[in-house]
Amino acid sequence: MATASKPIPMPKPQKPLPAPNSDFYELVETLPAEELAVVKQVRTFMETKVAPIITKYWIEDSFPFELLPALKELNLGGVGLQGYGCRGGSGLLAGLVAMEMARVDTSIATFFGVHCGLAMSSIYFGGSEEQKKKWLPPMARLEKIGCFGLTEPLVGSGASGGLTTTAKREGDTWIINGQKRWIGNSPWCDISIIWARDVADNQVKAFIVENKTTPGFKVEKMQNKIALKVVQNGQITMENCRIPEENRLQADNSFRDTAKVLRGTRYFVGWEATGCAMGAYENALKYAQERLQFGKPIGSFQLIQDLLAKMLGNITASQCLVVRMAQLEAEGKMTDAHAALSKAFCTAKCRETVAWAREVCGGNGIVADYNVGRFFADAEALYSYEGTYQMQNLILGKAITGLSAFV
Ligand SMILES: Cc1cc2nc3c(=O)[nH]c(=O)nc-3n(C[C@H](O)[C@H](O)[C@H](O)COP(=O)(O)OP(=O)(O)OC[C@H]3O[C@@H](n4cnc5c(N)ncnc54)[C@H](O)[C@@H]3O)c2cc1C
């Protein structure tokens, strides 16, 4: 007896998969239209100019000078700082710019953070009116690039307890001797903010050093880093460098003034860490949507979705934290302890997130070609620089207990 033939099932039309989006709670949308346009410009710059070339530079341990003209055109120098030729805008805008940069490449965000955050803010907070008028405009135009020299070969976390680099006043000149280590941008920049101990009163003072033309100032590029390889870090040696009194930051009198700069920049590392985690997550999610195992995209497996969900949870929590920090900063309420919690929490969550992203990509997570490996390595530097995780928790611990655990 003839049986009616079964209709052949037609393959279901594939629904397009959602594009990875790490701004799940739409925080960028909270910006006013004019500032939102700036963030979008940064995103386009990072995706079209930086993303295609950055892995090559990261592998080669070199800085992409070819990007500087386009970066200058973005007119972002001194974003979040007001006057003196700076870009201005809100603290939230400055944070989102850092996050957008780090989302594509954390080294570029760090280069920019060292220049605009550490170097320019040192002058902005510690400089006299004349110093701000002289140094900030060319730095805002990125014509003069700066670095920030605090850490030394033998003094890292203990910088507040005593720098070994000394400054001795002779008339209107200061004689600086000592070494600095890890100083980002220093192998090629124009202006170094050098923190040194005044031998007369033992207090920390800051000096603007024109490093290309100051006799006795030498920089050796640090080799063999495994993180933030695009940022050029240097070991600086200063032998009897003569710096005019007019280049000493006039409002800085002690390490408290250094800490004021670090308060702002540490909280910024929270934004960078959030961006780094976003970049790793988006790359890992795309990979999970495309990579097939057992005939299916790995993104369809429950255990992979669990990792992706936890990553997005970390990112969203960090984003909400740094956005609130921007509000506290705008209200003039941000304390060292607030900044410490932001830095410690966001970098720790970033470290966890990039490790999960690495895991999602399997073996391909440890080759630079898939981007995730780069975020994975770079997160290690964020976790330790500008004060390690432990130092942030000691600052926070002191504030919440009222008891200092510093040794
Ligand atoms: C990529 C990169 C870029 C950097 N860029 C700059 C820069 O531009 N300018 C600059 O000045 N510096 C820069 N640094 C230096 C950075 O700020 C220091 O590495 C950091 O402060 C830690 O100092 P350290 O490496 O000497 O570690 P150490 O201070 O030797 O610490 C080693 C370990 O001991 C722990 N530890 C230390 N003291 C205590 C304590 N009391 N209690 C508990 N644990 C403790 C630390 O948390 C850490 O885990 C950079 C570092 C890196 C890695």
Side-chain angles (χ1 to χ4, degrees), residues 229-243:
K229 284 156 65 70
V230 170
V231 181
Q232 308 291 289
N233 292 83
Q235 174 140 327
I236 297 174
T237 302
M238 290 161 291
E239 284 175 1
N240 293 321
C241 288
R242 298 179 73 82
I243 311 300

Side-chain angles (χ1 to χ4, degrees), residues 24-271:
F24 198 59
Y25 282 5
E26 300 181 2
L27 289 168
V28 171
E29 305 300 322
T30 62
L31 277 175
E34 189 225 350
E35 295 199 335
L36 181 60
V38 177
V39 173
K40 288 191 172 156
Q41 257 183 319
V42 175
R43 179 169 282 215
T44 305
F45 167 76
M46 293 303 295
E47 287 179 348
T48 60
K49 301 268 197 282
V50 179
I53 61 169
I54 205 65
T55 300
K56 172 179 160 290
Y57 282 98
W58 193 87
I59 292 166
E60 290 171 357
D61 251 344
S62 59
F63 186 82
F65 291 101
E66 61 175 290
L67 290 173
L68 282 182
L71 191 57
K72 281 181 192 172
E73 271 176 35
L74 283 178
N75 184 27
L76 290 172
V79 62
L81 303 179
Q82 316 302 322
Y84 310 102
C86 296
R87 173 63 179 76
S90 65
L92 180 60
L93 172 66
L96 286 166
V97 165
M99 189 175 85
E100 275 304 327
M101 286 182 170
R103 180 181 151 266
V104 171
D105 183 56
T106 314
S107 291
I108 294 294
T110 298
F111 149 71
F112 193 72
V114 169
H115 172 67
C116 282
L118 288 165
M120 288 183 73
S121 299
S122 293
I123 299 174
Y124 189 80
F125 291 119
S128 64
E129 200 52 29
E130 296 85 78
Q131 287 175 324
K132 291 190 232 188
K133 281 187 186 145
K134 174 174 176 186
W135 299 99
L136 290 176
M139 291 177 86
R141 293 192 296 270
L142 305 193
E143 285 165 14
K144 297 258 183 224
I145 299 296
C147 74
F148 178 92
L150 176 65
T151 309
E152 302 181 349
L154 300 179
V155 185
S157 303
S160 61
L163 296 177
T164 64
T165 298
T166 55
K168 185 167 185 269
R169 188 163 182 171
E170 281 182 12
D172 275 347
T173 302
W174 291 82
I175 317 293
I176 300 190
N177 279 289
Q179 284 194 312
K180 296 286 170 187
R181 182 167 166 80
W182 280 115
I183 312 309
N185 302 346
S186 66
W188 61 274
C189 74
D190 310 281
I191 295 166
S192 301
I193 306 297
I194 297 293
W195 299 87
R197 186 171 50 82
D198 179 353
V199 292
D201 64 3
N202 248 348
Q203 296 297 330
V204 172
K205 311 261 158 84
F207 300 87
I208 302 170
V209 180
E210 293 183 80
N211 41 268
K212 287 180 174 158
T213 53
T214 301
F217 191 100
K218 278 184 272 172
V219 188
E220 213 176 306
K221 178 185 157 180
M222 289 177 63
Q223 306 289 349
N224 306 329
K225 284 192 302 162
I226 61 154
L228 293 182
K229 284 156 65 70
V230 170
V231 181
Q232 308 291 289
N233 292 83
Q235 174 140 327
I236 297 174
T237 302
M238 290 161 291
E239 284 175 1
N240 293 321
C241 288
R242 298 179 73 82
I243 311 300
E245 161 64 9
E246 66 179 46
N247 279 23
R248 180 181 64 79
L249 289 178
Q250 299 290 316
D252 286 346
N253 297 308
S254 73
F255 193 80
R256 271 171 215 266
D257 299 307
T258 326
K260 204 189 296 171
V261 178
L262 290 175
R263 184 192 307 157
T265 56
R266 274 180 183 158
Y267 133 70
F268 256 82
V269 181
W271 283 104

